mmCIF file of all heavy atoms in Angstrom:
data_model
loop_
_atom_site.group_PDB
_atom_site.id
_atom_site.type_symbol
_atom_site.label_atom_id
_atom_site.label_comp_id
_atom_site.label_asym_id
_atom_site.label_seq_id
_atom_site.Cartn_x
_atom_site.Cartn_y
_atom_site.Cartn_z
ATOM 1 N N MET A 1164 106.727 97.338 99.640
ATOM 2 C CA MET A 1164 107.266 97.822 100.897
ATOM 3 C C MET A 1164 106.409 97.379 102.121
ATOM 4 O O MET A 1164 106.861 97.100 103.130
ATOM 5 C CB MET A 1164 107.253 99.412 100.883
ATOM 6 C CG MET A 1164 108.298 99.951 99.906
ATOM 7 S SD MET A 1164 109.960 99.481 100.211
ATOM 8 C CE MET A 1164 110.302 100.467 101.632
ATOM 9 N N TYR A 1165 105.071 97.400 101.729
ATOM 10 C CA TYR A 1165 104.166 96.977 102.866
ATOM 11 C C TYR A 1165 104.213 95.463 103.104
ATOM 12 O O TYR A 1165 104.188 95.063 104.284
ATOM 13 C CB TYR A 1165 102.736 97.475 102.521
ATOM 14 C CG TYR A 1165 101.741 97.176 103.687
ATOM 15 C CD1 TYR A 1165 101.616 98.193 104.671
ATOM 16 C CD2 TYR A 1165 100.961 96.193 103.828
ATOM 17 C CE1 TYR A 1165 100.900 98.136 105.806
ATOM 18 C CE2 TYR A 1165 100.148 95.930 104.830
ATOM 19 C CZ TYR A 1165 100.063 96.924 105.863
ATOM 20 O OH TYR A 1165 99.255 96.714 106.906
ATOM 21 N N PHE A 1166 104.335 94.779 102.050
ATOM 22 C CA PHE A 1166 104.393 93.316 102.090
ATOM 23 C C PHE A 1166 105.566 92.940 102.895
ATOM 24 O O PHE A 1166 105.444 92.006 103.683
ATOM 25 C CB PHE A 1166 104.428 92.754 100.713
ATOM 26 C CG PHE A 1166 104.618 91.248 100.597
ATOM 27 C CD1 PHE A 1166 103.400 90.537 100.713
ATOM 28 C CD2 PHE A 1166 105.807 90.658 100.373
ATOM 29 C CE1 PHE A 1166 103.528 89.108 100.678
ATOM 30 C CE2 PHE A 1166 105.928 89.259 100.292
ATOM 31 C CZ PHE A 1166 104.720 88.457 100.437
ATOM 32 N N PHE A 1167 106.815 93.528 102.587
ATOM 33 C CA PHE A 1167 107.963 93.101 103.380
ATOM 34 C C PHE A 1167 107.847 93.458 104.824
ATOM 35 O O PHE A 1167 108.369 92.724 105.708
ATOM 36 C CB PHE A 1167 109.209 93.709 102.805
ATOM 37 C CG PHE A 1167 109.551 93.051 101.455
ATOM 38 C CD1 PHE A 1167 109.733 93.828 100.313
ATOM 39 C CD2 PHE A 1167 109.614 91.688 101.295
ATOM 40 C CE1 PHE A 1167 109.942 93.281 99.023
ATOM 41 C CE2 PHE A 1167 109.879 91.065 100.092
ATOM 42 C CZ PHE A 1167 110.098 91.897 98.975
ATOM 43 N N ALA A 1168 107.003 94.512 105.204
ATOM 44 C CA ALA A 1168 106.903 94.901 106.622
ATOM 45 C C ALA A 1168 105.814 94.017 107.258
ATOM 46 O O ALA A 1168 106.008 93.608 108.385
ATOM 47 C CB ALA A 1168 106.495 96.377 106.664
ATOM 48 N N ASN A 1169 104.798 93.676 106.428
ATOM 49 C CA ASN A 1169 103.704 92.911 106.975
ATOM 50 C C ASN A 1169 102.942 92.108 105.897
ATOM 51 O O ASN A 1169 102.057 92.563 105.325
ATOM 52 C CB ASN A 1169 102.775 93.873 107.800
ATOM 53 C CG ASN A 1169 101.600 93.006 108.368
ATOM 54 O OD1 ASN A 1169 101.674 91.825 108.425
ATOM 55 N ND2 ASN A 1169 100.593 93.784 108.831
ATOM 56 N N PRO A 1170 103.351 90.778 105.634
ATOM 57 C CA PRO A 1170 102.812 90.091 104.613
ATOM 58 C C PRO A 1170 101.446 89.436 104.955
ATOM 59 O O PRO A 1170 100.754 89.029 104.052
ATOM 60 C CB PRO A 1170 103.871 88.963 104.366
ATOM 61 C CG PRO A 1170 104.536 88.869 105.669
ATOM 62 C CD PRO A 1170 104.571 90.180 106.381
ATOM 63 N N LYS A 1171 101.017 89.475 106.218
ATOM 64 C CA LYS A 1171 99.776 88.938 106.732
ATOM 65 C C LYS A 1171 98.491 89.285 105.870
ATOM 66 O O LYS A 1171 97.709 88.496 105.477
ATOM 67 C CB LYS A 1171 99.506 89.281 108.197
ATOM 68 C CG LYS A 1171 100.278 88.218 109.157
ATOM 69 C CD LYS A 1171 99.361 86.933 109.205
ATOM 70 C CE LYS A 1171 99.589 86.005 110.306
ATOM 71 N NZ LYS A 1171 100.756 85.390 110.710
ATOM 72 N N PRO A 1172 98.296 90.671 105.691
ATOM 73 C CA PRO A 1172 97.121 91.077 104.998
ATOM 74 C C PRO A 1172 97.053 90.403 103.557
ATOM 75 O O PRO A 1172 95.930 89.984 103.095
ATOM 76 C CB PRO A 1172 97.235 92.575 104.932
ATOM 77 C CG PRO A 1172 98.192 92.904 106.044
ATOM 78 C CD PRO A 1172 99.045 91.804 106.229
ATOM 79 N N PHE A 1173 98.167 90.452 102.894
ATOM 80 C CA PHE A 1173 98.225 89.848 101.586
ATOM 81 C C PHE A 1173 97.776 88.383 101.569
ATOM 82 O O PHE A 1173 97.006 87.881 100.752
ATOM 83 C CB PHE A 1173 99.522 90.035 100.916
ATOM 84 C CG PHE A 1173 99.547 89.180 99.512
ATOM 85 C CD1 PHE A 1173 98.965 89.740 98.418
ATOM 86 C CD2 PHE A 1173 100.172 88.043 99.512
ATOM 87 C CE1 PHE A 1173 98.893 89.125 97.197
ATOM 88 C CE2 PHE A 1173 100.179 87.340 98.309
ATOM 89 C CZ PHE A 1173 99.585 87.859 97.097
ATOM 90 N N PHE A 1174 98.301 87.665 102.633
ATOM 91 C CA PHE A 1174 97.895 86.167 102.585
ATOM 92 C C PHE A 1174 96.516 85.880 103.113
ATOM 93 O O PHE A 1174 95.934 84.887 102.901
ATOM 94 C CB PHE A 1174 98.980 85.458 103.409
ATOM 95 C CG PHE A 1174 100.254 85.241 102.665
ATOM 96 C CD1 PHE A 1174 101.450 86.108 102.934
ATOM 97 C CD2 PHE A 1174 100.355 84.367 101.593
ATOM 98 C CE1 PHE A 1174 102.579 85.839 102.179
ATOM 99 C CE2 PHE A 1174 101.565 84.261 100.803
ATOM 100 C CZ PHE A 1174 102.578 84.995 101.124
ATOM 101 N N THR A 1175 95.974 86.851 103.757
ATOM 102 C CA THR A 1175 94.542 86.881 104.129
ATOM 103 C C THR A 1175 93.791 86.835 102.781
ATOM 104 O O THR A 1175 92.784 86.118 102.586
ATOM 105 C CB THR A 1175 94.141 88.079 105.043
ATOM 106 O OG1 THR A 1175 94.882 87.998 106.133
ATOM 107 C CG2 THR A 1175 92.587 88.004 105.316
ATOM 108 N N LEU A 1176 94.190 87.792 101.905
ATOM 109 C CA LEU A 1176 93.462 87.893 100.592
ATOM 110 C C LEU A 1176 93.752 86.609 99.800
ATOM 111 O O LEU A 1176 92.851 85.980 99.191
ATOM 112 C CB LEU A 1176 93.976 89.085 99.806
ATOM 113 C CG LEU A 1176 93.536 89.209 98.428
ATOM 114 C CD1 LEU A 1176 92.161 90.010 98.409
ATOM 115 C CD2 LEU A 1176 94.558 89.955 97.497
ATOM 116 N N ALA A 1177 95.039 86.104 99.831
ATOM 117 C CA ALA A 1177 95.397 84.935 99.092
ATOM 118 C C ALA A 1177 94.598 83.729 99.577
ATOM 119 O O ALA A 1177 94.148 82.946 98.683
ATOM 120 C CB ALA A 1177 96.960 84.578 99.350
ATOM 121 N N LYS A 1178 94.370 83.636 100.845
ATOM 122 C CA LYS A 1178 93.510 82.413 101.314
ATOM 123 C C LYS A 1178 92.171 82.468 100.645
ATOM 124 O O LYS A 1178 91.627 81.347 100.357
ATOM 125 C CB LYS A 1178 93.406 82.660 102.896
ATOM 126 C CG LYS A 1178 92.658 81.455 103.561
ATOM 127 C CD LYS A 1178 92.618 81.494 105.000
ATOM 128 C CE LYS A 1178 91.920 80.444 105.700
ATOM 129 N NZ LYS A 1178 91.877 80.540 107.146
ATOM 130 N N GLU A 1179 91.601 83.762 100.630
ATOM 131 C CA GLU A 1179 90.324 83.796 100.035
ATOM 132 C C GLU A 1179 90.249 83.495 98.520
ATOM 133 O O GLU A 1179 89.365 82.818 97.948
ATOM 134 C CB GLU A 1179 89.726 85.206 100.235
ATOM 135 C CG GLU A 1179 88.417 85.628 99.751
ATOM 136 C CD GLU A 1179 87.347 85.017 100.508
ATOM 137 O OE1 GLU A 1179 87.388 85.091 101.824
ATOM 138 O OE2 GLU A 1179 86.343 84.430 99.918
ATOM 139 N N LEU A 1180 91.282 83.892 97.841
ATOM 140 C CA LEU A 1180 91.369 83.803 96.390
ATOM 141 C C LEU A 1180 92.008 82.432 95.840
ATOM 142 O O LEU A 1180 92.052 82.215 94.712
ATOM 143 C CB LEU A 1180 91.979 85.061 95.682
ATOM 144 C CG LEU A 1180 91.090 86.308 95.817
ATOM 145 C CD1 LEU A 1180 91.934 87.409 95.034
ATOM 146 C CD2 LEU A 1180 89.790 86.213 95.299
ATOM 147 N N TYR A 1181 92.654 81.723 96.723
ATOM 148 C CA TYR A 1181 93.518 80.624 96.341
ATOM 149 C C TYR A 1181 92.553 79.670 95.562
ATOM 150 O O TYR A 1181 91.436 79.474 95.818
ATOM 151 C CB TYR A 1181 94.073 79.871 97.536
ATOM 152 C CG TYR A 1181 95.501 79.645 97.404
ATOM 153 C CD1 TYR A 1181 96.440 80.668 97.458
ATOM 154 C CD2 TYR A 1181 96.044 78.375 97.239
ATOM 155 C CE1 TYR A 1181 97.774 80.519 97.329
ATOM 156 C CE2 TYR A 1181 97.411 78.177 97.106
ATOM 157 C CZ TYR A 1181 98.251 79.201 97.085
ATOM 158 O OH TYR A 1181 99.615 79.001 96.985
ATOM 159 N N PRO A 1182 93.200 79.184 94.407
ATOM 160 C CA PRO A 1182 92.336 78.258 93.549
ATOM 161 C C PRO A 1182 91.656 77.148 94.269
ATOM 162 O O PRO A 1182 92.136 76.602 95.191
ATOM 163 C CB PRO A 1182 93.441 77.564 92.571
ATOM 164 C CG PRO A 1182 94.539 78.746 92.623
ATOM 165 C CD PRO A 1182 94.556 79.368 93.900
ATOM 166 N N GLY A 1183 90.411 76.917 94.010
ATOM 167 C CA GLY A 1183 89.632 75.915 94.665
ATOM 168 C C GLY A 1183 88.441 76.392 95.459
ATOM 169 O O GLY A 1183 87.538 75.726 95.889
ATOM 170 N N ASN A 1184 88.494 77.809 95.822
ATOM 171 C CA ASN A 1184 87.405 78.352 96.690
ATOM 172 C C ASN A 1184 86.150 78.729 95.729
ATOM 173 O O ASN A 1184 85.142 78.852 96.365
ATOM 174 C CB ASN A 1184 87.867 79.517 97.515
ATOM 175 C CG ASN A 1184 88.853 79.164 98.576
ATOM 176 O OD1 ASN A 1184 88.873 77.948 99.023
ATOM 177 N ND2 ASN A 1184 89.593 80.099 99.071
ATOM 178 N N TYR A 1185 86.432 78.997 94.543
ATOM 179 C CA TYR A 1185 85.285 79.576 93.779
ATOM 180 C C TYR A 1185 85.250 78.658 92.386
ATOM 181 O O TYR A 1185 86.228 78.152 92.030
ATOM 182 C CB TYR A 1185 85.472 81.061 93.449
ATOM 183 C CG TYR A 1185 85.435 81.883 94.602
ATOM 184 C CD1 TYR A 1185 86.557 82.241 95.482
ATOM 185 C CD2 TYR A 1185 84.219 82.314 95.110
ATOM 186 C CE1 TYR A 1185 86.467 82.945 96.559
ATOM 187 C CE2 TYR A 1185 84.081 83.107 96.287
ATOM 188 C CZ TYR A 1185 85.176 83.344 97.040
ATOM 189 O OH TYR A 1185 85.164 84.085 98.169
ATOM 190 N N ARG A 1186 84.157 78.911 91.750
ATOM 191 C CA ARG A 1186 83.958 78.264 90.523
ATOM 192 C C ARG A 1186 83.589 79.135 89.375
ATOM 193 O O ARG A 1186 83.077 80.236 89.584
ATOM 194 C CB ARG A 1186 82.831 77.239 90.654
ATOM 195 C CG ARG A 1186 83.179 76.063 91.481
ATOM 196 C CD ARG A 1186 82.126 74.940 91.457
ATOM 197 N NE ARG A 1186 82.502 73.746 92.115
ATOM 198 C CZ ARG A 1186 81.821 72.675 92.025
ATOM 199 N NH1 ARG A 1186 80.849 72.589 91.170
ATOM 200 N NH2 ARG A 1186 82.245 71.527 92.616
ATOM 201 N N PRO A 1187 84.148 78.794 88.139
ATOM 202 C CA PRO A 1187 83.860 79.649 87.027
ATOM 203 C C PRO A 1187 82.355 79.803 86.778
ATOM 204 O O PRO A 1187 81.548 78.870 87.114
ATOM 205 C CB PRO A 1187 84.472 78.929 85.783
ATOM 206 C CG PRO A 1187 85.492 77.931 86.396
ATOM 207 C CD PRO A 1187 84.805 77.582 87.823
ATOM 208 N N ASN A 1188 81.870 80.837 85.990
ATOM 209 C CA ASN A 1188 80.501 80.917 85.782
ATOM 210 C C ASN A 1188 80.288 81.087 84.183
ATOM 211 O O ASN A 1188 81.310 80.827 83.504
ATOM 212 C CB ASN A 1188 79.980 82.234 86.392
ATOM 213 C CG ASN A 1188 80.704 83.546 85.887
ATOM 214 O OD1 ASN A 1188 80.667 83.851 84.696
ATOM 215 N ND2 ASN A 1188 81.428 84.216 86.808
#
């Protein structure tokens, strides 16, 4: 419900977690 009203916060998180930003340990 929140995503459909305002998807911006989710995509802020997505930008941070998108594959390529971090490496396995």
Side-chain angles (χ1 to χ4, degrees):
M1164 292 300 285
Y1165 190 82
F1166 178 81
F1167 289 126
N1169 181 11
K1171 272 280 198 310
F1173 172 76
F1174 284 108
T1175 302
L1176 175 86
K1178 182 179 180 178
E1179 181 73 43
L1180 292 186
Y1181 232 69
N1184 289 342
Y1185 294 94
R1186 288 189 172 194
N1188 62 62

